[in-house]
Amino acid sequence: MLKIKFKKGKIKNSDSFRVHIKGAVSGIGFKNFIKRAAERRNINGVLSDEPCGISIDAEGDKDKIYDLVSKIYEDKPHSVTIESINVDQIEYVSYENFKIPEVDFKRAKHSLSFSDIAICPDCIEELFNPKNRRYFYPFISCSHCGLRLSVLRDLPYERKNTTMDQFELCPKCLKECQNLSDRRFNNHINSCWDCGPRLRLQYRDSSGEYNYERREALDKAIELLKRGTILVFKDSSGYKICSNLFSDSSSSVIENNFKDIESYLIIKGIKMAEEYARINEKERELLLSYRRPKVFLRLLENTKVPESIRDEKRYFKFQLPYSGFNYAVFKNIDFPLLVKECGCLTVEDINSILLDISWSLLSHDREASVYSGESEAKVFISRDGSLSKNLIIRRSKGYVPSPLIFGYQAANPTLALGNNRDSSFALARDDNFYLSPYLGDISKESNQVNYRKTLDYYMKLFKIEPSIIAIGKEENPYLNGLAEELSKKLNAGIIEVESNHARIVSSMLENSLDEDVIGIVFKNELEKRDMFGFEFSLTSTSYSKILGYFESLEDLSGIDNSCNIKSEWLGQVKDEFCKESYSIEIREVDSKLIVLSGSIVEGVIADMKRAVPQPRIIAKLYNSIVEGTYKISLRLRRRLKINKISLAGDMLENVFLLTNIYERLRSKDFEVYIPGSIPANDSGISLGQLVVADSIIKEERKNSRDSLTYSL
């Protein structure tokens, strides 16, 4: 339980205290919650922003102030995370009321809290209350929950600057917004059945076409799901396609027609999830958090998820309801929904894919200001229990656009454009880093459009005009063209950064590493017909030198059945208890340590001839990575006298690989660092690009000053 520290001192009945609250507490909804609670207790004062939270100068009866502090912690909105509360006695000022100063959005550094989050318990209670005017209203929200980023066009956060400005508030909703004592005070997306967005359901089958609106549309959509009909529905992430998990015909259509999009399950609650997967306490917290990411869970041995859906996977993505629509649906059904995010696909795109297939469309007339997909995460716990960490795979809804603050100070406003695959961009100003939502593969034209729209939106929202643009050294026509265009428009310099350097620096940034480290990148290179894309380097924020790598396993392309090995290579290792590996040979060439592929290929060929099961071969390949990494790390430590290792790369998402590498390196007392809040895959590259580019500029300025000093 949180400890509230009160400083001792001589206290009068009417006294003055400063309450320091540290954590994710800067949202306007929480500030208004405090103001209402203070005024009910006749407490005057002022609330101010601080670098890592807020402070309250409170004057009044000391017992009521103590009661206010307890109220703040015990009844805080579900989206608020409090790390600590400290109370100090201060000089009495004699405030006349309780004030929240206006926020200067052009200069505010820590007060921007506009993430889309799950609806709160109070709204859920109203949603299911037949006497409430928002009974089953899918767009229900209050000052403590709901959409922000998806509907926000510009700052300040007011209704006229959101996509809700087209819906005129009814008298009841307007009264709530203007009433300081109401939970919906200043809720600029406030609405109800009478004045909010309108639902519409379109359905076509052999007997004709049908249209339903408002509550009837919602009821009909639920009925169709029960009947096994495919439903496409529109939310702040774009369009999603779903069906009853156990409707063989519908789920098969979804799986077969959208193969390049990963499936996940939306489930009614934790109790239902436990019927399908193992859930530890950390995973439970993540599933129930206000951010509501999809969470990778270990399936039960006798899981109810059909084999045709999970395809022998040991882990599958689960998500709990997060919107009024989700909760309304699950109030009436008792089965999981199989879901695929359609991303930037339009209704016309989906219709062309589902041609001659019966399906229904549930849409509404509220547009999103920017597309932001669902976040994805998993919990990593080392075997010895020394490390427990939430690993963000896709950082999107619920997490963005809140700034990431690492204690690193950028010298210039900087933009980094990221990479082609699993793309994101990042903006930095001072010590605030803004990572965009996950934007997917921008070799696709639809994703390019969304990338540019989101970039323009972020630069406008945070009032950042970069003077430096960081970009990868790899050839990328779209990003290279964009960098040139922005450079001319903003008169900004362009700095090219090696992607592996950026990957390691992203991990270093999160773990506050500002010295030389051994960097190891585990990169999937299957698209280059290369099964090993692993590199070792001596890395700092401003430079990187390659010291070793795994030789390509391209020779496997000539082996019978190797296509099956490659198809399973990035899957989840089935033979988890295998301890065997192939022989590891290391050769030094031009001061670089190389893990040779010959002995590994020979081992694979021998196992194939002996008809060793494919899962055992895959496990041995992974164990070979672990053993090769371990041996090169030992040699580099002796050579460099460096004990800190920073890991990065998309293959760290594989639980088997990460668990075994972490355990093996820790067994020799290496200090091992992995990213968590920054994705280890390519969507974290942009943050590393920012820091590398900024460090290069700082080094150049320092050398210039040193040169000037020497000449004088």
Side-chain angles (χ1 to χ4, degrees), residues 106 477 529:
K106 292 184 178 180
R529 298 177 61 82

Side-chain angles (χ1 to χ4, degrees), residues 178-190:
Q178 295 174 338
N179 183 0
L180 178 63
S181 63
D182 196 285
R183 194 175 87 253
R184 291 187 169 88
F185 175 69
N186 263 358
N187 178 30
H188 297 295
I189 59 170
N190 200 28

